């Protein structure tokens, strides 16, 4: 059954009972919801567009998952605890109802993973699938992108380039089980919500790496006016092996990959041990990859020399 | 210059400095913004999609205005004061930069009209223009759609059918100055923010009429389990004359029009005088159009007989 034949009322009758209740005066199906926050809130949003963000072969359930994950990652990067999310959907009328069900299953999986209430939304007919997610979180002291200080260390919560390698594998229709973990990193990324929460105590600056390592560091540099020197590339064995066996440059995968949700954290070197312990307590290993300097830009330290990293990264699929 | 040639960075460099500051730890250009609410917040969102919501001939400035107005109207309908808005944009790469400027001008006009902070957003390449707006407001006691009680009166803040007639005029390429006020009602609707605020003291149920009078009353009925009887059609002379001169049924324009932002308010008959005065104080005339009964549905009282009104309205352009 196509959404066109189902009609808006039936779509709403499917979605509204599946919304979470925020426990205020207004329930699902009203013009909005109400909520009494206990403190400072963080507001963020991310839009996912089929033609730019969804490669052929990606299951719709993962699209729903990723739409919510992207906003949860923005909250994580500010050290905020997810409270609630609002989902606006542009749905092509020729989509099957099973497609909508799959998207919603992905949203529900993510809702459970991040303990966030999906309280409302809006559905519209559109030419391509568009998911606009808005999210609210709470944080006592949200961590800005640009708060780094010269001398700070730069840490990350995991390796980079996995999603880029996974996307490459999905795009080439590869089904080799060796690379399944990389495809999974691309299709089912996890937002580092708990890591963001525990890091906020020590982080001077924090950002998620959804635009890739190089671009994310440039985003920090733009707001702090400082320089970010990468001394060790956060590269893991899977990415190294994938790059070698496919003739790709691993450095490019790591720096210009994008669609990853690891956190980039700057912190006073004095706090390295404490931050490492905090991250360990939520199952996350801190890797120090470099340091912040008083000279604007993003740099790679190679054989004792500072090489400027291009802002946009080198590795853009489909651009 | 096309957006494709301009590139994402230049688009962000245009938009970010134009964002409002919420005065928290996070500024424009960060992953989100933070805000310390003083009380209960109302969260709402609306997505505007070019192929469904923008008729050929509508200026892009009005599209920006309407995108923000739709969410402000949702806040108004809950009796909430607008605080801040977040704008996610899907932009076709072949759009001219002047197009983006026009959309933003419309958003800025609306931002000033409704005294709301436009604090952040997200831009994406997409096949058609999509504006996803998400808004936060504050309200001590938000008014639900379904709170009406049997015996309540139904009031509206203005006449209906103007936007439907205006859309008809825009779609037919009509430039007759006689109908300019109707076209203006369609292209530059105003959210009844002040009316919503003052009504919330007396309203048992409230909704905006963005889906048309009939459908909005059905939405109330679905949540209250009650019946809504229209005794007097809120029809004004412009709509009457437009209908006559174009061979349209004025009743259909009024009931099934949509894209209007008048409020529909139910209230205890005892409070009619007080509500009328409150609305007058913000330049708005209360028109009582019917009453709430203990029999589910939406009805039209004609010659002493209750006629069931079809839910979807009768008048759907382009559907």
């Amino acid at each position: 059954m196509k959404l066109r034949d189902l009609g808006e009322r039936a779509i709403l009758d499917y979605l509204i009972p599946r919304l979470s209740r925020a426990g205020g005066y207004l329930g699902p199906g009203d013009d909005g919801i109400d909520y009494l926050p206990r403190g400072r809130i963080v507001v963020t949003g991310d839009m996912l567009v089929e033609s730019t963000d969804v490669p052929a072969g990606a299951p719709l359930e993962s699209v729903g998952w990723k739409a919510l994950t992207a906003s949860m990652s923005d909250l994580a990067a500010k050290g905020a605890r997810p409270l609630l999310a609002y989902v606006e959907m542009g749905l092509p009328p020729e989509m099957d109802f099973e497609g909508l069900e799959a998207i919603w299953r992905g949203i529900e999986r993510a809702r459970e993973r991040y303990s966030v209430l999906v309280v409302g939304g809006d559905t519209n007919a559109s030419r391509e699938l568009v998911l606009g997610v808005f999210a609210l979180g709470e944080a006592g002291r949200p961590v800005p992108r640009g708060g780094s200080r010269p001398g700070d260390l730069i840490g990350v919560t995991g390796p980079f380039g996995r999603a880029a390698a996974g996307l490459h594998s999905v795009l080439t229709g590869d089904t080799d089980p060796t690379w399944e973990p990389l495809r999974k990193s691309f299709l089912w990324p996890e937002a580092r919500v708990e890591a963001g929460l525990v890091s906020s105590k020590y982080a001077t600056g924090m950002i998620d790496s959804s635009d890739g390592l190089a671009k994310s560091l440039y985003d920090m540099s733009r707001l702090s006016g400082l320089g970010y020197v990468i001394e060790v590339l956060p590269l893991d064995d899977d990415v190294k092996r994938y790059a070698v066996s496919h003739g790709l440059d691993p450095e490019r995968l790591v720096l210009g990959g994008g669609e990853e949700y690891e956190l980039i954290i700057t912190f006073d070197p004095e706090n390295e041990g404490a931050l490492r312990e905090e991250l360990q307590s939520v199952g996350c290993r801190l890797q120090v990859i470099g340091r912040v300097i008083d000279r604007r830009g993003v740099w790679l330290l190679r054989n004792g020399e500072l090489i400027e990293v291009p802002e946009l990264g080198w590795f853009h699929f489909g651009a």
Side-chain angles (χ1 to χ4, degrees), chain A:
Chain A
M1 174 88 100
K2 305 277 181 207
L3 296 184
R4 184 195 306 283
D5 306 317
L6 206 62
E8 193 191 357
R9 188 67 248 157
I11 294 172
L12 292 178
D13 285 345
Y14 169 75
L15 292 173
I16 290 174
R18 287 171 170 77
L19 294 173
S20 324
R21 297 192 69 96
Y25 292 87
L26 311 172
D30 211 310
D31 299 280
I33 67 97
D34 60 305
Y35 186 81
L36 187 59
R38 284 169 297 175
R40 184 168 293 274
I41 57 173
V42 174
V43 182
T44 187
D46 252 300
M47 185 180 263
L48 184 151
V49 176
E50 187 178 2
S51 56
T52 349
D53 301 318
V54 185
L60 283 173
E61 190 173 336
S62 93
V63 175
W65 166 274
K66 286 177 82 166
L68 199 53
T69 292
S71 286
M72 294 302 108
S73 180
D74 281 333
L75 291 180
K78 305 298 101 189
R81 182 185 304 281
L83 290 174
L84 52 90
Y86 217 86
V87 182
E88 294 176 349
M89 299 197 240
L91 300 166
E94 64 277 13
M95 178 184 271
D96 287 321
F97 178 60
E98 286 70 31
L100 176 60
E101 283 182 307
I103 292 168
W104 190 258
R105 262 201 317 278
I107 291 174
E108 283 190 340
R109 271 180 72 169
R111 159 167 84 178
E112 274 153 49
R113 163 62 185 86
Y114 304 115
S115 305
V116 64
L117 304 173
V118 177
V119 291
D122 185 25
T123 56
N124 305 268
S126 63
R127 294 214 177 112
E128 60 176 325
L129 176 65
V130 179
L131 296 176
V133 175
F134 293 96
L136 284 192
E138 56 185 359
R141 187 191 66 85
V143 184
R145 283 185 173 183
S148 316
R149 285 173 301 221
D152 278 355
L153 294 178
I154 308 169
V156 295
T157 53
F160 281 65
R162 294 184 59 89
L167 169 59
H168 186 272
S169 176
V170 168
L171 281 174
T172 55
D174 182 11
T175 55
D176 184 343
T178 318
W179 315 121
E180 187 55 33
L182 292 176
R183 288 192 292 274
K184 204 179 153 227
S185 289
F186 172 71
L187 294 172
W188 301 96
E190 275 205 35
R192 293 287 199 179
V193 171
E194 297 77 12
L197 280 169
V198 300
S199 298
S200 64
K201 207 155 119 191
Y202 301 109
T204 53
M206 191 150 61
I207 191 171
D208 74 342
S209 52
S210 51
D211 287 333
L213 181 57
K215 216 172 154 191
S216 301
L217 290 174
Y218 268 104
D219 282 335
M220 294 184 105
S221 171
R222 215 178 334 269
L223 288 172
S224 68
L226 299 173
Y228 294 75
V229 180
I230 305 168
E231 297 168 354
V232 189
L233 279 178
L235 176 66
D236 78 353
D237 286 347
D238 280 353
V239 173
K240 227 181 284 179
R241 284 187 294 132
Y242 188 88
V244 168
S245 77
H246 291 79
L248 303 172
D249 178 353
E251 202 170 285
R252 293 186 182 198
L253 285 172
V254 168
L255 287 170
E259 290 259 16
E260 330 207 44
Y261 295 99
E262 299 299 344
L263 299 177
I264 304 172
I265 310 162
T266 61
F267 54 94
D268 191 310
E270 251 181 29
N271 294 326
E272 184 180 345
L275 178 59
R276 186 176 298 282
E277 258 178 52
E278 289 280 4
L279 283 170
Q280 230 150 24
S281 76
V282 295
C284 194
R285 202 178 70 81
L286 174 70
Q287 183 182 359
V288 177
I289 63 163
R291 64 187 66 240
V292 179
I293 62 171
D294 205 353
R295 174 179 163 199
R296 202 181 183 124
V298 177
W299 318 85
L300 195 59
L301 187 70
R302 194 189 276 150
N303 308 323
E305 220 184 315
L306 284 187
I307 300 161
E308 198 167 358
V309 175
E311 166 154 15
L312 294 176
W314 292 300
F315 204 87
H316 281 266
F317 298 100

